[in-house]
Amino acid sequence: MSSHREAPEISKDPVADSSDLYAFVSPDDPDTVTIIANYVPLQLPSSGPNFFEFGDDVLYEIHIDANGDARPDITYQFRFRTELRNDKTFLYNTGQIKSLDDENWNRRQFFSVTKVDSHGKSTVLASKLPCPPCNVGKISIPDYAKLAEDAVHKLKSREKVFAGQRADAFFVDLGSIFDLGTLRPFQDKHLVGQQLFNYAGKAVNATDKTNVHSIAIQIPLDMVRRDGKKRVRAKDAGAVIGVWTSASRRQVEVRGDKGAGDVVVGPQVQVSRLGNPLFNEVIVPMAQKDKWNSLPPSEDKRFAEFVSTPELGALLPVLYPGLFDNLAAFNKTKGARADLLAILLTGIPDGIIEGFQNNTGTVQADMLRLNTAIPPAKKENAFGVVGGDIAGFPNGRRIADDVVSISIKAVAGATLPLVNKDFTADAASGLVEQGLSIKDVSASLLKKFPFLPTPFDGFNNPS
C-alpha cells in the first residue's frame, strides 16, 4: 500500500503511522495549496466502544521545503488532547451527537496548530480546535457531513485546517501486487501459458470501506513560495515546493533496576515519515525500512542505490517472460535509472517534458515535489504526468491519481526514454496497470476542502 504498515516497527504503532500524503493546487481555490496527511490506517468502521483517534502523545508534522535543500522552511505541528466528559459510562456517546460541543458526546479530541519557520521560531496559530467525532452511525450522528464541515477552521493567519476521521480514498489491489507482483487485468490481456498466474481476474480494492485519520491544511501559495510571490511561471525555480510529513514520539528512558528507577523523558524521536507514495514500501529494503522512517529527507542519498537499481525492475522480466526484453537488456548493462532518480529524488528538470518541471536541485531527497504554478487540470487523468496531465503525480499528488499504476509503469521503463534516447520502452510498460480507479472507492470525494470522503459508519459497514 502507499505507506500502510510499510515497515516492521511502525506497523505495530498505527497511531503514528503516516499512510498517505497528498499535495496539490486546490481546485476549490487555485491560489492555495492543499496538503493532506493521513494516519491511523485500516480502521474498521464498527470499532466501538473504543473508536480510533489521534495520539495525545504523538507530534504530527507537515514540512514544506521552499529552496531545495531538503530541510523544512515551514513546518506545521499538530498536537492533540483528549477529554472525557463522563467517567461513569463505557459509551463513546450517550445520545445523539448534533454539534461539536454536544453534551452527549463523551470522548472528544481537540488540537493545536503551531507554525515553525526555517530558523526554528515557533508561533502557535490556534489551540483547542475541535475534531469531529468518529462516524458511529446514523442513529448516533444524524448529519455527519454537517459536523465535519463545522470542524473546518479558518485561521487568522489565513490557513484553513481540519483534523479528524475520513474515508480512506487510496485504492490498491494489495493481495495481487504482493503475490509476486501479479497484476490481474494485465495478466488477462497478456498471459500466454504461464500457469503461475492462471487465477488472474478483476482487481480488488483492498482498502475500500476502511477509514483513516486525516490532517488537512490549505495554505495561500504566496506563503509557501520562497519569494512570497502570488504569481510565478511554471519554469521558475521558486514555483516548486517539496512536501513531506512525519510523526514523532518522546524518547523515554528508565534508569534503575527492575523498574524501580526514575523515568526520564527525552526529546522527540521521529518514528514515521512519508513523501512519495510507495517509496519505503517497495524501494527501501526491509532491513532498512525502520531506519528510513527515522531519518530526514536530507539523508536520502544513502538510499539512492535502491532507486537507481530498483528490485521490482529486475523482477518484472522474470515474472513476465518475453514482455520486458528491452528492460531486461538495460538491466544487464547495470546502468543507473536516471529517470527514477529524477522522479523520486531530485524532481524532473526543465526541458524534459514540455511545459513542466518540478526540480528542486541536486540534493537527493524523497519529497512530494509540487510545481505550484501549474493550475488544476480541467479534466484529470488518473495516470498524471505519464498520462499527459502535468497537474498530477509525480507533480505533487492528487487523491484520484493512480499512483500504484504510475509507479509500476515508471519502474517498467515507460519513463526511461525521457532521459535515455537510446532506450525503447517495451510495449508492455505502457499497458501495465492495477485495474482500479477512484471509482473503486465506495465513498465520493468532496468537491471542496478537505476533499476526502465522509468516513464509513459502523452501523452500515459492519466488520
Side-chain angles (χ1 to χ4, degrees):
M1 287 174 279
S2 178
S3 194
H4 304 52
R5 294 177 52 84
E6 87 290 346
E9 289 305 312
I10 198 62
S11 66
K12 304 169 188 174
D13 188 9
V15 172
D17 187 0
S18 50
S19 60
D20 277 293
L21 174 66
Y22 304 96
F24 49 90
V25 176
S26 313
D28 64 335
D29 186 356
D31 288 328
T32 68
V33 60
T34 293
I35 302 172
I36 304 171
N38 288 346
Y39 293 88
V40 204
L42 302 174
Q43 300 177 19
L44 296 177
S46 53
S47 57
N50 298 303
F51 290 92
F52 295 93
E53 60 193 17
F54 291 104
D56 288 1
D57 56 350
V58 177
L59 171 63
Y60 301 92
E61 295 179 297
I62 290 174
H63 309 277
I64 302 170
D65 171 27
N67 61 10
D69 63 358
R71 301 180 187 279
D73 293 293
I74 303 171
T75 293
Y76 288 96
Q77 298 179 333
F78 298 82
R79 292 178 173 88
F80 293 83
R81 188 175 83 248
T82 304
E83 294 185 3
L84 195 64
R85 275 183 162 166
N86 184 349
D87 61 2
K88 304 298 183 183
T89 180
F90 71 93
L91 293 169
Y92 183 76
N93 56 293
T94 54
Q96 288 191 332
I97 303 174
K98 296 183 178 180
S99 68
L100 294 178
D101 61 353
D102 199 305
E103 62 181 13
N104 292 321
W105 181 12
N106 185 35
R107 189 174 177 89
R108 304 169 70 202
Q109 259 198 334
F110 301 89
F111 69 101
S112 66
V113 185
T114 301
K115 184 177 181 178
V116 184
D117 67 17
S118 59
H119 303 291
K121 180 183 177 182
S122 299
T123 303
V124 177
L125 303 183
S127 58
K128 205 170 183 179
L129 299 175
C131 299
C134 286
N135 197 358
V136 180
K138 267 289 187 181
I139 304 301
S140 290
I141 308 176
D143 192 352
Y144 190 90
K146 177 61 168 58
L147 276 186
E149 187 174 342
D150 291 343
V152 174
H153 308 283
K154 183 68 178 290
L155 307 183
K156 293 181 180 179
S157 50
R158 296 199 292 152
E159 299 93 341
K160 192 180 291 185
V161 295
F162 170 89
Q165 191 180 53
R166 296 279 87 191
D168 195 344
F170 179 59
F171 47 95
V172 62
D173 190 349
L174 187 66
S176 68
I177 287 176
F178 279 99
D179 189 7
L180 285 179
T182 309
L183 296 169
R184 301 179 210 252
F186 181 70
Q187 290 293 346
D188 275 346
K189 294 177 183 177
H190 302 285
L191 180 63
V192 182
Q194 298 177 52
Q195 295 304 311
L196 178 61
F197 301 115
N198 61 8
Y199 53 82
K202 179 175 171 54
V204 177
N205 182 12
T207 57
D208 194 28
K209 294 190 176 181
T210 64
N211 294 327
V212 293
H213 266 58
S214 300
I215 296 172
I217 185 166
Q218 196 169 76
I219 315 166
L221 291 177
D222 61 284
M223 291 174 61
V224 299
R225 291 172 176 156
R226 72 174 71 171
D227 51 16
K229 292 181 179 178
K230 290 186 177 182
R231 295 286 181 267
V232 295
R233 297 174 300 173
K235 66 179 183 179
D236 294 342
V240 181
I241 61 173
V243 180
W244 71 99
T245 187
S246 65
S248 302
R249 288 186 175 278
R250 286 283 188 189
Q251 187 180 59
V252 177
E253 180 183 354
V254 179
R255 296 177 180 175
D257 296 330
K258 300 180 181 179
D262 296 329
V263 176
V264 180
V265 179
Q268 295 282 355
V269 176
Q270 182 177 297
V271 296
S272 176
R273 71 159 160 134
L274 180 60
N276 281 293
L278 302 166
F279 191 96
N280 200 17
E281 193 89 26
V282 299
I283 296 291
V284 180
M286 187 173 291
Q288 298 189 46
K289 288 181 182 297
D290 293 313
K291 183 67 175 177
W292 182 90
N293 263 330
S294 71
L295 295 171
S298 56
E299 294 294 319
D300 283 342
K301 60 185 178 182
R302 66 176 71 187
F303 302 102
E305 62 177 295
F306 307 116
V307 178
S308 179
T309 55
E311 184 179 10
L312 181 58
L315 285 174
L316 285 173
V318 177
L319 296 173
Y320 301 88
L323 295 182
F324 296 99
D325 291 343
N326 293 346
L327 179 62
F330 178 85
N331 290 340
K332 288 180 180 179
T333 69
K334 300 187 182 302
R337 288 295 302 271
D339 57 324
L340 299 181
L341 288 167
I343 291 170
L344 296 175
L345 292 181
T346 63
I348 300 170
D350 190 22
I352 301 294
I353 299 172
E354 185 178 356
F356 174 71
Q357 66 91 15
N358 67 345
N359 183 258
T360 52
T362 59
V363 178
Q364 294 181 320
D366 171 36
M367 305 184 290
L368 269 184
R369 290 170 170 83
L370 175 66
N371 190 319
T372 62
I374 296 175
K378 293 181 179 179
K379 185 177 181 180
E380 293 185 8
N381 185 307
F383 296 139
V385 175
V386 175
D389 179 359
I390 60 173
F393 181 75
N395 185 30
R397 179 188 174 191
R398 301 170 303 199
I399 299 169
D401 286 340
D402 185 357
V403 294
V404 173
S405 294
I406 295 169
S407 300
I408 295 175
K409 286 175 183 290
V411 171
T415 55
L416 188 50
L418 293 174
V419 296
N420 187 334
K421 302 303 181 184
D422 295 328
F423 179 80
T424 300
D426 296 287
S429 68
L431 299 172
V432 289
E433 59 179 275
Q434 63 171 338
L436 294 172
S437 73
I438 194 65
K439 295 179 181 179
D440 292 288
V441 176
S442 299
S444 299
L445 298 180
L446 305 183
K447 294 183 178 180
K448 61 180 182 179
F449 183 85
F451 297 107
L452 286 176
T454 298
F456 296 99
D457 71 82
F459 183 84
N460 293 301
N461 300 279
S463 302

